Amino acid sequence: MNRRAFVELGATVLAGGLLGCSSTSGVPTALEMPTTAGVKPSTDAPRVTYFSRFGVTEAMIRETIGVAMSRGGDYADLFFQHQVANNLSLEDGQVNRAYTRVELGVGVRVVKGDQTGYGYTEELTADALRRAAQTAAAVADGPARPGPQHFSVDPLPQRYPVRTTWDAIKPEQKLPILTTANEAAFKADPRVKKVSMSLVDEAGAILIADSQGRLVEDVQPMTALRMSCVAEQNGRREQNGYNVAGRQGLDFYTPERIERVVREATARTLILFDAVDAPVGEMPVVLAAGSSGILLHEAIGHGMEADFNRKGVSIYADKIGKPIAKPFVSIVDDATNEFARGAINVDDEGNAAGVTTLVDKGILATYLHDAISAKHYGVKPTGNGRRESYKHAPLPRMRSTYMLPGPHRKDEIIASVKKGIFCSSFSNGQVSIGAGDFTFYVRNGYLIEDGKLTRPIKDVNLIGNGPKALEQVDMVADDLVIDEGGWTCGKDVQSVPVSQGIPTVRVAAMTVGGRAQKKG
């Protein structure tokens, strides 16, 4: 499909509603549209299903891979992507933003040794794909290698089925979610003066085909609801928020989940009026179950991605098979949590995505691998090859990273601390991937005094080193929570959706900094 035909298709589909995500009666939506004017449907429909509506055929894929392998590359793959994303925002009780973003294209990758060639195009025509393949093939310079004559299609797990795709949901079906939550936030407390909200949804799919003869398509939904509150008391203002996200449809927004967004956003804001400055210095730190997993993800998880270790950047580069934590500490990266933001049925290289045990009872068991790093280490890919879009080559990336439950109880952990802090929500942080040095900003937390949670605290920084902090984890509770927030991970200018979690955990000693050390 050329660019003009795609725009014409988009105009037909998007004409039906405010956000371009609905259709008029009798007009199919983008996910249902089998053909478009001037484009013949694929004759290979049993193998190429979703992307047949854009004129993609098995013959076109075979030809493109053949061009990609024409200069002797070791391996080649194609990554097709279509995505329709909508954003509906509310401020001061009124819709202040509504837009749609549409992406369609294909990336061609050729691997030769440790080198990668990459080309991409927004036009799904045989000529455009050929040019992208020639660009990628230039990384190699040798005799041509044959491409696949036939493709195998393996069934995928169904970790995020939806009854109605987001592009079939009309704006008037989404707006009540925002207005209901907005009204509830103002009713929660008279100190709430301003509420900002957004509902984001995505509908789309990927198709991966490679020189080994694999072909796979995956339909991938996503949605997120975010609320930010500003409250005022005695002339002083505080702001905080809360969000939820998942790979689900409209039924994700149950009354209970909407009520939780309102409750958490307002409570996390209002408690700041009572918050005091935390003590500074080195002390025990207790990480609350759930969103504290951001520290695990950033300060430790990235160091276990194989490309950093292959390049000798990570502190874990020589630690496979060695103890790096207490025997009751185990960490996994999991693609299988149904409907989670970090769930995937297959990674962006077409490899099976399951559960990868990174730390097994204190021992570093493996790294997170894409196909290139797996070949280097002589192991199987772990299903962690991920990319932001068809414009990017895949990298080893996390999916849903969390620490498994341990032998302790939350109350037992808090009672063990005479003087320290309890961290319940994080805002942002800075991390040096190689050494693992970090600074994390804690938005909400409590003092721990004589084994009890006492006064709320805010504007706290945790300063330390990820590997050392992992060694200092000396108590792990049995209350694992996988956080439902809309987390997005950035690496090498690519962003991908992730999940994370942690049980209540005690770090025996960590440096706590106060307001003066706050990092933006």
Side-chain angles (χ1 to χ4, degrees):
M1 175 181 286
N2 61 33
R3 195 67 184 162
R4 180 175 180 179
F6 170 63
V7 171
E8 291 173 351
L9 170 60
T12 300
V13 173
L14 300 180
L18 172 67
L19 298 181
C21 59
S22 64
S23 61
T24 57
S25 178
V27 179
T29 66
L31 297 187
E32 298 164 343
M33 186 77 73
T35 62
T36 185
V39 178
K40 295 181 180 180
S42 169
T43 57
D44 310 298
R47 295 178 180 272
V48 180
T49 55
Y50 183 99
F51 283 87
S52 65
R53 73 201 63 183
F54 301 115
V56 177
T57 67
E58 189 175 328
M60 180 191 295
I61 292 171
R62 280 198 303 271
E63 178 185 352
T64 305
I65 293 178
V67 175
M69 298 293 287
S70 65
R71 298 186 61 173
D74 299 329
Y75 170 86
D77 61 20
L78 311 183
F79 181 85
F80 294 83
Q81 181 185 35
H82 177 232
Q83 186 181 85
V84 180
N86 301 295
N87 183 303
L88 181 60
S89 297
L90 200 72
E91 188 169 307
D92 298 325
Q94 301 293 323
V95 174
N96 71 327
R97 174 182 280 189
Y99 66 86
T100 295
R101 175 178 53 82
V102 182
E103 289 202 37
L104 177 68
V106 58
V108 184
R109 178 176 63 154
V110 175
V111 178
K112 180 65 175 179
D114 287 338
Q115 302 299 309
T116 297
Y118 203 80
Y120 68 87
T121 177
E122 297 176 341
E123 294 190 10
L124 300 190
T125 63
D127 184 57
L129 265 67
R130 186 182 306 111
R131 292 196 302 271
Q134 288 170 342
T135 298
V139 73
D141 187 16
R145 295 188 179 184
Q149 296 303 306
H150 303 283
F151 291 98
S152 61
V153 180
D154 295 327
L156 291 181
Q158 295 299 312
R159 292 168 182 155
Y160 30 80
V162 295
R163 289 180 294 189
T164 305
T165 54
W166 275 107
D167 67 326
I169 305 298
K170 298 179 180 181
E172 52 265 36
Q173 294 174 268
K174 306 174 189 178
L175 191 56
I177 297 171
L178 296 174
T179 56
T180 298
N182 178 75
E183 293 170 2
F186 281 109
K187 291 178 181 178
D189 194 287
R191 290 174 292 176
V192 175
K193 301 301 181 184
K194 188 179 185 68
V195 176
S196 301
M197 299 196 64
S198 67
L199 193 159
V200 179
D201 61 77
E202 297 174 4
I206 61 172
L207 182 153
I208 306 151
D210 66 19
S211 56
Q212 298 173 351
R214 297 184 300 173
L215 188 151
V216 59
E217 284 184 312
D218 188 31
V219 176
Q220 299 179 331
M222 186 71 77
T223 188
L225 179 66
R226 300 179 174 92
M227 172 180 281
S228 174
C229 292
V230 176
E232 184 174 346
Q233 177 177 296
N234 299 326
R236 174 180 152 200
R237 289 199 160 201
E238 294 287 358
Q239 181 175 358
N240 212 338
Y242 187 71
N243 65 83
V244 293
R247 289 194 183 275
Q248 283 189 254
L250 190 64
D251 54 356
F252 178 67
Y253 297 109
T254 62
E256 293 77 17
R257 186 170 276 114
I258 295 172
E259 191 275 333
R260 171 156 55 89
V261 170
V262 175
R263 182 180 69 249
E264 291 292 336
T266 54
R268 293 182 183 203
T269 304
L270 297 172
I271 199 170
L272 296 176
F273 291 119
D274 300 320
V276 299
D277 290 337
V280 297
E282 189 172 83
M283 66 191 71
V285 172
V286 177
L287 304 176
S291 65
S292 298
I294 181 63
L295 194 150
L296 181 71
H297 171 105
E298 293 287 0
I300 298 165
H302 278 298
M304 296 179 181
E305 292 169 335
D307 52 344
F308 290 127
N309 290 280
R310 183 166 62 92
K311 297 171 185 176
V313 173
S314 171
I315 198 169
Y316 294 117
D318 60 351
K319 296 291 193 296
I320 291 289
K322 297 180 180 179
I324 60 172
K326 299 287 191 297
F328 49 77
V329 173
S330 293
I331 301 171
V332 302
D333 185 75
D334 188 355
T336 68
N337 292 320
E338 290 189 353
F339 302 110
R341 180 171 168 84
I344 53 175
N345 289 325
V346 63
D347 79 355
D348 294 333
E349 298 180 298
N351 293 314
V355 181
T356 302
T357 299
L358 294 168
V359 180
D360 186 11
K361 298 177 181 178
I363 306 296
L364 181 60
T366 189
Y367 302 130
L368 299 176
H369 289 287
D370 63 1
I372 291 177
S373 68
K375 181 179 179 181
H376 174 83
Y377 282 96
V379 298
K380 291 183 178 180
T382 57
N384 288 89
R386 305 189 65 193
R387 58 182 110 194
E388 178 177 328
S389 75
Y390 66 90
K391 298 177 183 178
H392 305 87
L395 300 166
R397 305 295 298 272
M398 284 173 275
R399 301 160 307 189
S400 178
T401 311
Y402 54 90
M403 187 180 294
L404 296 180
H408 306 97
R409 291 176 291 104
K410 175 182 176 180
D411 292 345
E412 175 188 2
I413 291 176
I414 294 172
S416 71
V417 178
K418 182 173 180 60
K419 179 184 177 182
I421 65 169
F422 178 86
C423 304
S424 53
S425 72
F426 290 76
S427 179
N428 51 40
Q430 299 174 347
V431 180
S432 171
I433 298 300
D437 295 329
F438 64 78
T439 300
F440 280 101
Y441 179 52
V442 180
R443 187 59 174 162
N444 292 106
Y446 288 88
L447 294 176
I448 306 178
E449 298 174 299
D450 295 323
K452 296 180 180 180
L453 298 181
T454 58
R455 293 167 291 176
I457 55 174
K458 66 171 185 175
D459 296 329
V460 179
N461 281 277
L462 297 183
I463 305 165
N465 175 271
K468 290 182 179 178
L470 185 61
E471 292 175 2
Q472 290 282 311
V473 171
D474 60 357
M475 298 184 80
V476 178
D478 56 1
D479 60 346
L480 170 65
V481 174
I482 307 298
D483 188 67
E484 208 174 56
W487 298 100
T488 298
C489 175
K491 175 181 175 181
D492 290 355
V493 303
Q494 292 193 48
S495 296
V496 296
V498 295
S499 299
Q500 57 205 16
I502 200 169
T504 301
V505 164
R506 188 179 84 164
V507 182
M510 193 179 297
T511 301
V512 176
R515 194 184 303 268
Q517 289 81 30
K518 176 180 173 181
K519 299 290 184 181

